[in-house]
């Protein structure tokens, strides 16, 4: 009887070792991590200084959680339109003397009856002003993100407002043209965040407009490929 118990204990011990070994060899994907743990170490020079410029989508970006030891200033301001950015360039951009500026602006213009031509004109002015006042800074202009105005329970129709993806796509084409003319980098984030039905991917949004933790994680992976170059 004693020998039988000892043999069982040995077998159980061996099985435990096998299970632990298998667990340790299974690769863990970033998708299984909490966003707070998704920090990437980079080789970015200490001489670099980045400014993220935009509205609430930038303002609410959890930069400190998603980027580790990166020199980023968050100059996002909730509710801001293109004209608001233009009027505060010194405060939002120039005082930080950035080496790279990441711009995301325009969605609030679309929801506040700002003519598309005026919005695009302002975006071009923002680009030109930064190029004039910070000649060595690299500019990265993101496309306006898609929205989700479906009937899902998490969607807030009032927050989404009158924005439509058809309008956003049309405007993004013009923003891309402006970037090409001004020789700055255009980042097509729209295509990265849209589902097969043409909506902002549901898991990437909190309310149909603003971005969820998973959405910011996706955005961070994309932006890092630009910031590290």
């Amino acid at each position: 009887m004693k020998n039988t118990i000892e043999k069982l204990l040995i077998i159980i011990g061996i099985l435990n070792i096998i299970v632990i070994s298998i667990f340790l060899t299974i690769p863990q994907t970033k998708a299984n991590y909490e966003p707070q743990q998704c920090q990437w170490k980079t080789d970015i020079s200490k001489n670099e200084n980045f400014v993220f410029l935009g509205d609430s989508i930038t303002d609410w970006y959890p930069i400190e959680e998603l980027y580790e030891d990166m020199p980023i200033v968050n100059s996002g301001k909730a509710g801001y339109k293109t004209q608001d950015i233009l009027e505060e360039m010194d405060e939002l951009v120039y005082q930080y003397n950035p080496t790279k500026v990441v711009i995301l602006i325009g969605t609030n213009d679309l929801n506040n009856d700002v003519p598309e031509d005026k919005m695009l004109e302002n975006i071009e002015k923002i680009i030109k002003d930064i190029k004039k006042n910070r000649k060595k800074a690299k500019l990265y202009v993101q496309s306006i993100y898609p929205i989700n105005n479906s009937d899902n329970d998490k969607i807030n129709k009032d927050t989404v407002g009158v924005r439509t993806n058809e309008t956003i796509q049309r405007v993004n084409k013009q923003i891309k043209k402006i970037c090409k003319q001004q020789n700055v980098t255009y980042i097509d984030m729209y295509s990265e965040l849209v589902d097969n039905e043409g909506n902002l991917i549901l898991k990437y949004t909190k309310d149909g407009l603003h971005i969820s933790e998973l959405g910011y994680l996706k955005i961070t992976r994309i932006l890092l490929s630009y910031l590290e170059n």
Side-chain angles (χ1 to χ4, degrees):
M1 182 68 178
K2 183 178 179 181
N3 290 336
T4 302
I5 294 174
E6 288 177 350
K7 289 180 181 179
L8 286 174
L9 289 174
I10 291 172
I11 293 172
I12 292 172
I14 293 172
L15 289 174
N16 283 336
I17 292 172
I18 293 173
V19 170
I20 292 172
S21 299
I22 292 173
F23 176 78
L24 290 175
T25 57
I26 295 174
Q28 298 185 45
T29 62
K30 287 185 175 68
N32 292 326
Y33 294 165
E34 290 296 325
Q36 291 86 346
Q37 297 172 319
C38 290
Q39 297 175 327
W40 291 273
K41 291 185 178 181
T42 67
D43 296 324
I44 291 174
S45 168
K46 292 182 180 179
N47 296 323
E48 296 274 27
N49 185 30
F50 308 148
V51 167
F52 282 25
L53 182 64
D55 46 47
S56 60
I57 295 175
T58 300
D59 192 6
W60 300 344
Y61 196 158
I63 287 172
E64 292 183 359
E65 296 176 3
L66 293 176
Y67 297 83
E68 183 176 6
D69 299 326
M70 288 185 65
I72 299 174
V73 174
N74 190 332
S75 279
K77 298 291 183 181
Y80 268 32
K81 300 184 289 294
T82 54
Q83 186 62 41
D84 299 314
I85 297 290
L86 273 174
E87 292 172 0
E88 297 183 20
M89 295 289 279
D90 286 332
E91 176 185 345
L92 298 176
V93 182
Y94 302 144
Q95 68 165 322
Y96 302 112
N97 196 27
T99 58
K100 294 177 181 176
V101 182
V102 179
I103 302 168
L104 173 63
I105 194 67
T107 191
N108 289 330
D109 292 63
L110 296 178
N111 200 48
N112 286 275
D113 297 324
V114 177
E116 290 179 25
D117 289 347
K118 179 61 177 176
M119 180 193 69
L120 293 166
E121 179 184 330
N122 286 344
I123 290 175
E124 186 170 12
K125 284 182 179 178
I126 291 170
I127 294 170
K128 287 182 176 179
D129 281 2
I130 296 174
K131 289 177 67 176
K132 178 181 178 181
N133 290 279
R134 293 295 180 270
K135 292 182 172 63
K136 295 183 179 180
K138 293 182 179 180
L139 274 64
Y140 304 88
V141 181
Q142 299 183 70
S143 61
I144 298 173
Y145 296 175
I147 54 93
N148 188 316
N149 202 20
S150 66
D151 293 327
N152 188 276
D153 289 342
K154 75 187 296 186
I155 303 303
N156 187 321
K157 299 285 186 176
D158 291 335
T159 298
V160 175
V162 299
R163 301 172 180 88
T164 68
N165 284 321
E166 290 75 20
T167 300
I168 292 171
Q169 285 181 292
R170 181 173 65 247
V171 168
N172 280 340
K173 288 181 180 179
Q174 297 304 313
I175 294 175
K176 184 176 181 179
K177 287 182 180 179
I178 291 171
C179 290
K180 184 176 181 180
Q181 293 168 356
Q182 295 300 317
N183 195 29
V184 298
T185 301
Y186 174 77
I187 302 176
D188 181 14
M189 201 68 77
Y190 184 99
S191 297
E192 299 286 348
L193 301 176
V194 73
D195 64 19
N196 292 331
E197 296 179 355
N199 294 312
L200 174 58
I201 296 173
L202 201 58
K203 67 180 180 180
Y204 289 163
T205 185
K206 292 180 177 180
D207 51 22
L209 172 68
H210 298 105
I211 304 301
S212 67
E213 290 180 334
L214 280 175
Y216 280 122
L217 180 57
K218 170 77 171 182
I219 291 163
T220 300
R221 289 175 180 156
I222 296 168
L223 291 182
L224 271 174
S225 65
Y226 291 92
L227 296 178
E228 291 184 315
N229 295 324

